[in-house]
Amino acid sequence: MPVPLHQAKAELFRTLGHPVRVRVLELLQDGPLPVRDLLSAIDVEASNLSQQLAVLRRAGLVTATREGATVVYVLSTPDVATLMFAARSILTELLAEQGELLAELRAEARG
């Protein structure tokens, strides 16, 4: 029996629920990167990055190719970058609203 759509979406969002995985996806928006570049951009142990990359591969969000001794990662589809952009837009809007509320509270406290 196939997995219901809402359950599949929940699994996708659980996959996105780790800061290292989100950072990897952000970095890969600009194009393919070898693991060594991901390691230099993200302050984590190599074993931790490897685990997080494996989760992203299993979820189908990234793909890996070997170029000699180097493993290069890329987003599996441009839709992943679109999703990351949508998340940024949503957060920007939410934080703007919170900033407006904070400004009102500060003005109220002064007045």
Side-chain angles (χ1 to χ4, degrees):
M1 180 165 192
V3 174
L5 181 57
H6 65 275
Q7 186 175 342
K9 286 180 181 179
E11 283 299 320
L12 172 64
F13 286 115
R14 270 194 285 279
T15 299
L16 297 173
H18 193 285
V20 171
R21 291 185 286 233
V22 170
R23 185 67 182 128
V24 166
L25 296 176
E26 289 173 342
L27 291 168
L28 293 177
Q29 289 180 87
D30 294 329
L33 287 174
V35 172
R36 70 176 172 273
D37 290 357
L38 291 170
L39 265 174
S40 67
I42 305 171
D43 187 28
V44 295
E45 296 291 325
S47 60
N48 187 352
L49 179 60
S50 178
Q51 289 173 340
Q52 302 312 324
L53 288 167
V55 171
L56 291 170
R57 272 193 325 270
R58 281 193 303 272
L61 297 174
V62 300
T63 59
T65 56
R66 186 170 290 279
E67 297 175 4
T70 303
V71 178
V72 177
Y73 280 86
V74 64
L75 296 179
S76 61
T77 172
D79 291 335
V80 176
T82 302
L83 177 63
M84 300 308 292
F85 179 79
R88 183 180 301 262
S89 295
I90 291 167
L91 284 173
T92 299
E93 185 65 31
L94 292 173
L95 291 173
E97 290 172 7
Q98 290 176 2
E100 291 168 11
L101 178 60
L102 180 59
E104 287 177 33
L105 289 170
R106 286 182 174 156
E108 198 175 276
R110 288 185 204 121

